[in-house]
Amino acid sequence: MSIEDTKRKHEADLMKIEGVIGVGIGKGRSGGRVIQVLADEVTRQLRDRVPPMIDGFFVEVVRVGEVRKL
Amino acid sequence: MNEALGAAAALMNRAKRICEACYLGIATEGVTPSVNPNVQGVGIGNKVVHRIPTKEKVLQVYVGRKVYGSLLPAEQRIPDEIEGVPTDIVETGIFQIGRKFPPIYQRRVRPAPAGVSVGHKDISTGTFGALVREGGDTYILSNNHVLANENLGKVGDNILQPGPYDGGRPDRDTIAQLAGFVPLKADEANLVDAAIATPVVRDDVAPEILNIGRAKGDAEPEVDLFVRKTGRTTRYTEGHVTATDVTLRVGYSNGALVFTDQFLISGTRGKFSDGGDSGSLIVDKDNHAVGLLFAGSPFTTVANRWSNVAKALRVKPVS
């Protein structure tokens, strides 16, 4: 399964985690493509609840702050 | 010595009060107030000769523009001395309360290029993103929340340039009328925050984006793609795409709405966008349309994918 399909399949569950505002696909710290879990604040509890890997793809938590219309 | 100084100061103050009465219309005992339209203010300072301040105390009369006395009607000329106190005319320009003359991004401009302030009559302000066409018709493109007030706008509503926050008024600054919008949905995922408005006078809008030029064609956002935009608040900025295929919640007036198939941008030097930049067209280095800016946070900017905007409104950039 592609990273896009994997992300799509799991995004609803990931977005139910408290503090998670979104999910996307970006470049990871090691340079490869990763699933990004977007959070307004990154807390210890949030890190503990986000799996580090889903279906073979790395998951990274990214702090994006509070996103509003501009 | 002190007495002499005190007397000179008293004389100076009296001369100043007379000046205030004669030129600024401020009531003073024994003087009939009048106004000299050229005089912006009065004060006490050192006389300046050839740009060098001297030790001589004079009555300074501030004017918007300094002209030869002989060019003025006799009653508007400032005498060399008033009540025995020498005068000095100082060119200060015209004082204004609050802000200076606003930059092009935030003031009325005709024809209006893309990248300037625009907004529905009932909102604060946003950005005129691009001039687009559908068949033979030309439209101003921006966000639903900029041109259609988050679904509350009615087709035909006045769109102001500049937007209301920048002083735009319906009676004199209406540039377009709301033509259509993609409704924002609270119960399902949104693809775009987009709307179009018909210019009242076609020649009052221009297809060039300030600092960028005309958009031509389109491109898909990819991680690391170099992008740029011009917007009402942060003006011209550059950045790169940090994430694609983004589904996220975005705060609106009545709560959070979910958007899907979005992308994120990080600025190269500081913020890529801020409040008021909503509606900016995001292009790549070759001016291909990549996205429509609509949301953000202190750390990121969120944009609709251009192909979704083009599909929803069936529009293309005017190039």
Coordinates of all heavy atoms in Angstrom, one line a residue, chain B residues 128-205:
Chain B
F128 N -6.9 40.2 -2.9 CA -7.3 39.9 -4.2 C -6.2 39.0 -4.8 O -5.1 39.4 -5.1 CB -7.4 41.3 -5.0 CG -7.4 41.2 -6.5 CD1 -7.7 40.1 -7.2 CD2 -7.1 42.4 -7.2 CE1 -7.7 40.1 -8.6 CE2 -7.1 42.5 -8.6 CZ -7.4 41.3 -9.3
G129 N -6.5 37.7 -5.0 CA -5.5 36.7 -5.3 C -5.1 36.7 -6.8 O -3.9 36.7 -7.1
A130 N -6.1 36.8 -7.7 CA -5.7 36.7 -9.1 C -7.0 37.1 -9.9 O -8.1 37.0 -9.4 CB -5.3 35.3 -9.5
L131 N -6.7 37.5 -11.1 CA -7.8 37.7 -12.1 C -7.9 36.4 -12.8 O -6.9 35.9 -13.3 CB -7.4 38.9 -13.0 CG -8.6 39.6 -13.6 CD1 -9.5 40.2 -12.6 CD2 -8.0 40.7 -14.5
V132 N -9.2 35.9 -12.8 CA -9.4 34.6 -13.5 C -10.5 34.7 -14.5 O -11.2 35.7 -14.5 CB -9.7 33.5 -12.5 CG1 -8.6 33.2 -11.5 CG2 -11.0 33.8 -11.7
R133 N -10.6 33.7 -15.4 CA -11.6 33.8 -16.4 C -12.3 32.4 -16.5 O -11.8 31.4 -16.2 CB -11.1 34.2 -17.8 CG -10.2 33.3 -18.4 CD -9.6 33.9 -19.7 NE -8.4 33.2 -20.1 CZ -8.4 32.1 -20.7 NH1 -9.5 31.5 -21.0 NH2 -7.2 31.5 -21.1
E134 N -13.6 32.5 -16.9 CA -14.4 31.4 -17.1 C -15.1 31.7 -18.4 O -16.0 32.6 -18.4 CB -15.4 31.1 -16.0 CG -16.2 29.8 -16.2 CD -17.7 29.9 -15.8 OE1 -18.0 30.8 -14.9 OE2 -18.5 29.1 -16.3
G135 N -14.7 31.0 -19.5 CA -15.3 31.4 -20.8 C -14.8 32.8 -21.1 O -13.7 33.2 -21.0
G136 N -15.8 33.7 -21.4 CA -15.4 35.1 -21.8 C -15.5 36.0 -20.6 O -15.3 37.2 -20.7
D137 N -15.9 35.5 -19.4 CA -16.0 36.4 -18.2 C -14.8 36.4 -17.4 O -14.1 35.4 -17.2 CB -17.2 35.9 -17.4 CG -18.5 35.9 -18.2 OD1 -18.7 36.9 -19.0 OD2 -19.3 35.0 -18.0
T138 N -14.5 37.6 -16.8 CA -13.4 37.8 -16.0 C -13.8 38.1 -14.5 O -14.8 38.8 -14.3 CB -12.6 39.0 -16.5 OG1 -12.2 38.8 -17.8 CG2 -11.3 39.3 -15.7
Y139 N -13.1 37.4 -13.6 CA -13.5 37.6 -12.2 C -12.3 37.8 -11.3 O -11.2 37.4 -11.6 CB -14.1 36.3 -11.7 CG -15.4 35.8 -12.4 CD1 -15.3 34.9 -13.4 CD2 -16.6 36.4 -12.1 CE1 -16.4 34.5 -14.1 CE2 -17.7 36.0 -12.7 CZ -17.7 35.0 -13.7 OH -18.8 34.7 -14.4
I140 N -12.6 38.4 -10.1 CA -11.6 38.6 -9.0 C -11.7 37.3 -8.2 O -12.8 36.9 -7.9 CB -11.9 39.8 -8.1 CG1 -11.5 41.1 -8.8 CG2 -11.3 39.6 -6.8 CD1 -11.9 42.3 -8.1
L141 N -10.6 36.6 -8.0 CA -10.6 35.4 -7.2 C -10.0 35.6 -5.8 O -9.0 36.3 -5.6 CB -9.8 34.3 -7.9 CG -9.5 33.0 -7.0 CD1 -10.8 32.2 -6.9 CD2 -8.4 32.2 -7.6
S142 N -10.7 35.1 -4.8 CA -10.2 35.1 -3.4 C -10.9 34.0 -2.7 O -11.4 33.1 -3.3 CB -10.4 36.5 -2.7 OG -9.7 36.5 -1.5
N143 N -10.9 34.1 -1.3 CA -11.5 33.0 -0.5 C -13.0 33.3 -0.3 O -13.4 34.5 -0.4 CB -10.9 32.9 0.9 CG -9.4 32.5 0.8 OD1 -8.6 33.1 1.5 ND2 -9.1 31.5 0.1
N144 N -13.8 32.3 0.0 CA -15.1 32.4 0.4 C -15.2 33.4 1.6 O -16.0 34.3 1.7 CB -15.7 31.0 0.7 CG -17.1 31.1 1.3 OD1 -17.4 31.9 2.1 ND2 -17.9 30.1 1.0
H145 N -14.3 33.1 2.6 CA -14.4 34.0 3.8 C -13.9 35.4 3.6 O -14.1 36.3 4.5 CB -13.6 33.3 5.0 CG -12.1 33.5 5.0 ND1 -11.3 32.5 4.6 CD2 -11.4 34.5 5.5 CE1 -10.0 32.9 4.8 NE2 -10.0 34.1 5.3
V146 N -13.4 35.7 2.4 CA -13.0 37.1 2.1 C -14.1 37.8 1.2 O -14.5 38.9 1.5 CB -11.6 37.1 1.3 CG1 -11.3 38.5 0.8 CG2 -10.5 36.6 2.2
L147 N -14.6 37.0 0.2 CA -15.5 37.7 -0.7 C -17.0 37.3 -0.4 O -17.9 38.0 -0.8 CB -15.3 37.2 -2.1 CG -13.9 37.5 -2.8 CD1 -13.8 37.0 -4.2 CD2 -13.7 39.0 -2.7
A148 N -17.2 36.2 0.4 CA -18.6 35.8 0.6 C -18.9 35.7 2.1 O -20.0 35.1 2.5 CB -18.9 34.5 -0.1
N149 N -18.0 36.2 2.9 CA -18.3 36.3 4.4 C -18.8 34.9 5.0 O -19.8 34.9 5.7 CB -19.3 37.4 4.6 CG -19.5 37.7 6.1 OD1 -18.6 37.4 6.9 ND2 -20.6 38.3 6.5
E150 N -18.0 33.8 4.6 CA -18.3 32.5 5.2 C -19.8 32.1 4.9 O -20.5 31.8 5.9 CB -18.0 32.4 6.7 CG -16.5 32.7 6.9 CD -16.1 32.6 8.4 OE1 -16.6 31.7 9.1 OE2 -15.3 33.4 8.8
N151 N -20.2 32.1 3.6 CA -21.5 31.7 3.2 C -22.6 32.7 3.4 O -23.7 32.5 3.0 CB -22.0 30.3 3.8 CG -21.0 29.2 3.4 OD1 -20.2 29.3 2.6 ND2 -21.2 28.1 4.2
L152 N -22.3 33.8 4.2 CA -23.4 34.7 4.5 C -23.7 35.7 3.4 O -24.7 36.4 3.3 CB -23.1 35.5 5.8 CG -23.0 34.7 7.1 CD1 -22.5 35.5 8.3 CD2 -24.4 34.0 7.4
G153 N -22.7 35.9 2.5 CA -22.8 36.8 1.4 C -23.9 36.4 0.4 O -24.2 35.2 0.3
K154 N -24.5 37.4 -0.3 CA -25.5 37.1 -1.4 C -24.8 37.6 -2.7 O -24.1 38.5 -2.7 CB -26.7 37.9 -1.1 CG -27.4 37.6 0.2 CD -28.4 36.5 0.1 CE -29.0 36.2 1.4 NZ -28.1 35.5 2.4
V155 N -25.2 36.8 -3.7 CA -24.7 37.2 -5.1 C -25.1 38.7 -5.3 O -26.2 39.0 -5.0 CB -25.3 36.3 -6.2 CG1 -25.0 36.8 -7.6 CG2 -24.6 34.9 -6.0
G156 N -24.1 39.5 -5.8 CA -24.4 40.9 -6.0 C -23.9 41.8 -4.9 O -23.9 43.0 -5.0
D157 N -23.5 41.2 -3.7 CA -23.0 42.0 -2.6 C -21.8 42.8 -3.0 O -21.0 42.3 -3.8 CB -22.6 41.1 -1.4 CG -23.8 40.8 -0.5 OD1 -24.9 41.2 -0.8 OD2 -23.6 40.0 0.4
N158 N -21.6 44.0 -2.4 CA -20.4 44.8 -2.8 C -19.1 44.2 -2.2 O -19.1 43.8 -1.1 CB -20.6 46.2 -2.2 CG -21.7 47.0 -3.0 OD1 -22.0 46.6 -4.2 ND2 -22.2 48.0 -2.4
I159 N -18.1 44.2 -3.1 CA -16.8 43.8 -2.7 C -15.9 45.1 -2.8 O -15.9 45.8 -3.8 CB -16.2 42.8 -3.7 CG1 -17.1 41.6 -3.8 CG2 -14.8 42.4 -3.3 CD1 -17.4 40.8 -2.5
L160 N -15.2 45.4 -1.7 CA -14.5 46.7 -1.6 C -13.0 46.5 -1.8 O -12.4 45.5 -1.3 CB -14.8 47.3 -0.2 CG -16.2 47.3 0.3 CD1 -16.3 48.0 1.6 CD2 -17.2 47.9 -0.7
Q161 N -12.4 47.5 -2.4 CA -10.9 47.6 -2.5 C -10.5 49.0 -2.2 O -10.8 49.9 -2.9 CB -10.5 47.2 -3.9 CG -9.0 46.9 -4.1 CD -8.1 48.1 -3.9 OE1 -8.3 49.1 -4.5 NE2 -7.1 47.9 -3.0
P162 N -9.8 49.2 -1.1 CA -9.4 48.2 -0.1 C -10.5 47.6 0.7 O -11.6 48.2 0.7 CB -8.4 49.0 0.8 CG -9.0 50.4 0.8 CD -9.5 50.6 -0.6
G163 N -10.3 46.5 1.4 CA -11.3 45.9 2.3 C -11.7 46.9 3.4 O -11.0 47.8 3.7
P164 N -12.8 46.6 4.1 CA -13.3 47.5 5.2 C -12.2 47.8 6.2 O -12.1 48.9 6.7 CB -14.4 46.7 5.8 CG -15.0 45.9 4.6 CD -13.7 45.5 3.8
Y165 N -11.4 46.8 6.6 CA -10.4 47.1 7.7 C -9.4 48.2 7.2 O -8.9 48.9 8.1 CB -9.6 45.8 8.0 CG -8.6 46.0 9.1 CD1 -8.9 45.9 10.4 CD2 -7.2 46.2 8.8 CE1 -8.0 46.1 11.4 CE2 -6.3 46.3 9.7 CZ -6.6 46.3 11.1 OH -5.7 46.5 12.0
D166 N -9.2 48.2 5.9 CA -8.2 49.2 5.4 C -8.9 50.5 5.0 O -8.3 51.3 4.3 CB -7.4 48.6 4.2 CG -6.5 47.5 4.7 OD1 -5.9 47.7 5.7 OD2 -6.4 46.5 4.0
G167 N -10.2 50.7 5.4 CA -10.9 52.0 5.2 C -11.8 51.9 3.9 O -12.4 53.0 3.6
G168 N -11.9 50.8 3.3 CA -12.8 50.7 2.1 C -14.3 51.0 2.5 O -14.7 50.5 3.5
R169 N -15.0 51.8 1.7 CA -16.4 52.1 2.0 C -17.2 51.8 0.8 O -16.8 52.1 -0.4 CB -16.5 53.6 2.3 CG -15.9 54.0 3.6 CD -16.4 55.3 4.2 NE -16.9 56.2 3.1 CZ -16.7 57.5 3.1 NH1 -16.0 58.1 4.0 NH2 -17.3 58.3 2.2
P170 N -18.4 51.2 1.0 CA -19.3 50.8 -0.2 C -19.6 51.9 -1.1 O -19.6 51.7 -2.3 CB -20.5 50.3 0.5 CG -20.1 50.0 1.9 CD -19.0 50.9 2.3
D171 N -19.8 53.2 -0.6 CA -20.2 54.2 -1.5 C -19.1 54.6 -2.5 O -19.4 55.1 -3.6 CB -20.7 55.5 -0.7 CG -19.6 55.9 0.3 OD1 -18.8 55.1 0.6 OD2 -19.7 57.1 0.7
R172 N -17.8 54.5 -2.2 CA -16.8 54.9 -3.1 C -15.8 53.9 -3.5 O -15.0 54.1 -4.4 CB -16.1 56.2 -2.5 CG -15.6 56.0 -1.1 CD -14.4 56.9 -0.7 NE -13.6 56.1 0.2 CZ -13.2 56.6 1.4 NH1 -13.4 57.9 1.7 NH2 -12.5 55.8 2.2
D173 N -15.7 52.8 -2.8 CA -14.6 51.8 -3.0 C -15.1 50.4 -3.5 O -14.3 49.5 -3.6 CB -13.8 51.6 -1.8 CG -13.1 52.9 -1.3 OD1 -12.6 53.6 -2.2 OD2 -13.2 53.2 -0.1
T174 N -16.3 50.3 -3.9 CA -16.8 49.1 -4.5 C -16.1 48.8 -5.8 O -16.2 49.6 -6.7 CB -18.3 49.1 -4.7 OG1 -19.0 49.2 -3.4 CG2 -18.9 47.9 -5.4
I175 N -15.4 47.7 -5.9 CA -14.7 47.3 -7.1 C -15.4 46.2 -7.9 O -15.2 46.0 -9.1 CB -13.2 47.0 -6.8 CG1 -12.4 47.0 -8.1 CG2 -13.1 45.6 -6.1 CD1 -10.9 47.0 -7.9
A176 N -16.1 45.4 -7.1 CA -16.8 44.2 -7.8 C -18.0 43.8 -7.0 O -18.3 44.3 -5.9 CB -15.7 43.1 -7.8
Q177 N -18.7 42.8 -7.6 CA -19.9 42.3 -6.9 C -19.8 40.8 -6.8 O -19.3 40.1 -7.8 CB -21.2 42.7 -7.6 CG -21.5 44.2 -7.3 CD -22.5 44.7 -8.2 OE1 -22.7 44.3 -9.3 NE2 -23.2 45.7 -7.7
L178 N -20.1 40.2 -5.7 CA -20.0 38.8 -5.5 C -20.7 38.0 -6.6 O -21.9 38.3 -6.9 CB -20.6 38.4 -4.1 CG -20.5 36.9 -3.8 CD1 -19.1 36.4 -3.7 CD2 -21.2 36.6 -2.4
A179 N -20.0 37.1 -7.3 CA -20.6 36.4 -8.4 C -20.9 34.9 -8.0 O -21.9 34.3 -8.5 CB -19.7 36.4 -9.6
G180 N -20.1 34.4 -7.1 CA -20.4 33.0 -6.7 C -19.3 32.5 -5.7 O -18.3 33.1 -5.6
F181 N -19.7 31.4 -5.0 CA -18.7 30.9 -4.0 C -18.9 29.4 -3.8 O -20.0 28.9 -4.1 CB -18.8 31.6 -2.7 CG -20.1 31.6 -2.0 CD1 -20.5 30.6 -1.2 CD2 -21.1 32.6 -2.3 CE1 -21.7 30.6 -0.5 CE2 -22.3 32.6 -1.7 CZ -22.7 31.6 -0.8
V182 N -17.9 28.7 -3.4 CA -18.0 27.3 -3.1 C -18.4 27.3 -1.6 O -17.7 27.8 -0.7 CB -16.7 26.6 -3.3 CG1 -16.9 25.1 -2.9 CG2 -16.2 26.7 -4.7
P183 N -19.7 26.8 -1.3 CA -20.1 26.8 0.1 C -19.1 26.1 1.1 O -18.6 25.0 0.7 CB -21.5 26.2 0.1 CG -21.9 26.2 -1.3 CD -20.7 26.2 -2.1
L184 N -18.9 26.7 2.2 CA -18.1 26.0 3.3 C -19.0 25.1 4.0 O -20.1 25.5 4.4 CB -17.5 27.0 4.2 CG -16.4 27.9 3.6 CD1 -16.1 29.1 4.5 CD2 -15.1 27.1 3.3
K185 N -18.6 23.8 4.2 CA -19.5 22.8 4.8 C -19.0 22.4 6.2 O -17.8 22.2 6.4 CB -19.5 21.6 3.9 CG -20.2 21.8 2.5 CD -19.9 20.8 1.5 CE -18.4 20.8 1.1 NZ -18.2 20.0 -0.1
A186 N -19.9 22.4 7.1 CA -19.5 22.0 8.5 C -19.6 20.5 8.8 O -19.0 20.0 9.7 CB -20.5 22.7 9.5
D187 N -20.4 19.8 7.9 CA -20.6 18.4 8.2 C -19.8 17.4 7.3 O -20.0 16.2 7.4 CB -22.1 18.1 8.0 CG -22.7 18.6 6.7 OD1 -21.9 19.2 5.9 OD2 -23.9 18.4 6.4
E188 N -19.0 18.0 6.4 CA -18.1 17.1 5.6 C -16.8 17.8 5.3 O -16.7 19.1 5.5 CB -18.8 16.6 4.4 CG -19.3 17.7 3.5 CD -20.0 17.1 2.2 OE1 -19.3 16.5 1.4 OE2 -21.2 17.3 2.1
A189 N -15.8 17.1 4.8 CA -14.5 17.7 4.5 C -14.6 18.7 3.3 O -15.3 18.4 2.3 CB -13.5 16.7 4.2
N190 N -14.0 19.8 3.4 CA -13.9 20.8 2.3 C -12.7 20.7 1.5 O -11.6 20.3 2.1 CB -14.0 22.2 3.0 CG -15.2 22.5 3.7 OD1 -16.2 23.0 3.1 ND2 -15.2 22.3 5.0
L191 N -12.8 21.0 0.2 CA -11.6 21.0 -0.6 C -11.0 22.4 -0.8 O -9.8 22.6 -0.9 CB -11.9 20.4 -2.0 CG -12.1 18.9 -2.1 CD1 -12.5 18.5 -3.5 CD2 -10.7 18.2 -1.7
V192 N -11.9 23.4 -0.9 CA -11.5 24.8 -1.1 C -12.3 25.8 -0.3 O -13.4 25.5 0.1 CB -11.6 25.1 -2.6 CG1 -10.8 24.2 -3.5 CG2 -13.1 25.1 -3.1
D193 N -11.6 26.9 -0.1 CA -12.3 28.1 0.5 C -12.1 29.2 -0.6 O -11.1 29.9 -0.7 CB -11.6 28.5 1.8 CG -12.1 29.8 2.4 OD1 -12.9 30.5 1.7 OD2 -11.8 30.1 3.6
A194 N -13.1 29.2 -1.5 CA -12.9 30.0 -2.7 C -14.2 30.7 -3.2 O -15.3 30.2 -2.9 CB -12.4 29.1 -3.9
A195 N -14.0 31.9 -3.8 CA -15.2 32.6 -4.3 C -14.7 33.6 -5.4 O -13.5 33.8 -5.5 CB -15.8 33.5 -3.2
I196 N -15.6 34.0 -6.2 CA -15.3 34.9 -7.3 C -16.2 36.1 -7.3 O -17.4 36.0 -6.9 CB -15.3 34.3 -8.7 CG1 -16.6 33.5 -8.9 CG2 -14.0 33.4 -8.9 CD1 -16.7 32.8 -10.3
A197 N -15.7 37.3 -7.8 CA -16.6 38.5 -7.9 C -16.4 39.1 -9.2 O -15.2 39.1 -9.8 CB -16.2 39.4 -6.8
T198 N -17.4 39.7 -9.8 CA -17.4 40.3 -11.1 C -17.0 41.8 -10.9 O -17.6 42.5 -10.2 CB -18.8 40.3 -11.8 OG1 -19.2 39.0 -11.7 CG2 -18.7 40.8 -13.2
P199 N -15.9 42.2 -11.6 CA -15.5 43.7 -11.5 C -16.6 44.5 -12.1 O -17.3 44.2 -13.1 CB -14.3 43.8 -12.4 CG -13.8 42.4 -12.6 CD -15.0 41.5 -12.5
V200 N -16.9 45.6 -11.4 CA -18.0 46.6 -11.8 C -17.5 47.3 -13.1 O -18.3 47.4 -14.1 CB -18.3 47.6 -10.7 CG1 -19.3 48.6 -11.2 CG2 -18.8 46.9 -9.5
V201 N -16.2 47.7 -13.1 CA -15.6 48.3 -14.3 C -14.4 47.4 -14.7 O -13.5 47.2 -13.8 CB -15.2 49.7 -14.1 CG1 -14.5 50.3 -15.3 CG2 -16.3 50.6 -13.6
R202 N -14.4 46.8 -15.8 CA -13.4 45.8 -16.2 C -12.0 46.4 -16.1 O -11.0 45.8 -15.7 CB -13.7 45.3 -17.6 CG -12.6 44.3 -18.2 CD -12.4 43.1 -17.4 NE -11.3 42.3 -17.9 CZ -10.0 42.6 -17.7 NH1 -9.7 43.6 -16.9 NH2 -9.1 41.8 -18.3
D203 N -11.9 47.7 -16.5 CA -10.6 48.4 -16.5 C -10.1 48.7 -15.1 O -8.9 49.2 -15.0 CB -10.6 49.6 -17.4 CG -10.7 49.2 -18.9 OD1 -10.4 48.0 -19.2 OD2 -11.0 50.1 -19.7
D204 N -10.9 48.5 -14.1 CA -10.4 48.8 -12.7 C -9.6 47.7 -12.1 O -9.2 47.8 -10.9 CB -11.7 49.2 -11.8 CG -12.1 50.6 -12.0 OD1 -11.4 51.4 -12.7 OD2 -13.1 51.0 -11.4
V205 N -9.5 46.6 -12.8 CA -8.7 45.5 -12.3 C -7.6 45.1 -13.3 O -7.8 45.3 -14.5 CB -9.5 44.3 -11.9 CG1 -10.4 44.5 -10.7 CG2 -10.4 43.8 -13.1

